Each structure stands twice: as structure tokens, then as C-alpha cells.
Amino acid sequence: MSKKNIKILIACHKPSELPKNELFLPVRVGAALSNNDFGLQRDDDGADNISAKNPEYCELTAIYWAWKNLDADYYGLFHYRRFYSF
């Protein structure tokens, strides 16, 4: 059985402590509306994104970005302040 490519996006709009794990991908949501990216993946990186609609869609701009620009077998989403315990 092959190892699955899993990415759990962490939607961030301000600096915070983030877990270090290859499963997690912190994403700066609403990046199109700000110059500050905190050194994170931006949700406006790539040709197809809805980053500028972040005020209406919140964390879903990260999921849309992943759907259109990231290659993974499975996707998940955390908010930068709310994590599940594994």
C-alpha cells in the first residue's frame, strides 16, 4: 500500500504558533488583501484563487486555493487557533 499524500491546511491571518509536521501546511488567507504573509504559503499564489474574497468566504479561500493549486490525495483544514488532538 502506498503512502498517501495528505495536506492539512492551517488557515492563518495573523502570526501564531504553528505545529511542525509534514502533514500541516500553514496558509496565509486573504493574502491578496495584505502585503504581510508571515513567511507562509499564500492563498493568492497560483492562477486560480479567491483570496480577494476572503472577507466573504473566510477560511474557505485556503480550501479553494488547495483544490485548484495543490496536488494531494486528501485535504483537511484547521483554523490557526483551533487544533484537533491526534
Side-chain angles (χ1 to χ4, degrees):
M1 188 162 111
S2 65
K3 185 177 177 183
K4 298 293 182 187
N5 182 6
I6 300 170
K7 288 297 174 198
I8 301 173
L9 297 117
I10 303 174
C12 303
H13 65 88
K14 63 182 185 178
S16 62
E17 286 189 43
L18 300 168
K20 305 286 188 229
N21 187 303
E22 67 181 26
L23 294 176
F24 296 118
L25 176 61
V27 178
R28 169 60 163 106
V29 294
L33 304 173
S34 173
N35 291 329
N36 193 343
D37 63 9
F38 322 119
L40 305 178
Q41 172 62 55
R42 297 171 57 97
D43 70 347
D44 66 348
D45 184 26
D48 198 348
N49 68 77
I50 58 170
S51 180
K53 295 183 179 186
N54 182 263
E56 291 83 27
Y57 293 101
C58 304
E59 291 86 0
L60 295 179
T61 61
I63 287 290
Y64 186 92
W65 172 83
W67 172 43
K68 295 294 187 173
N69 298 284
L70 190 64
D71 184 29
D73 297 313
Y74 298 97
Y75 303 92
L77 177 68
F78 282 158
H79 188 271
Y80 75 100
R81 293 181 297 176
R82 298 173 186 98
F83 296 102
Y84 294 109
S85 176
F86 288 107

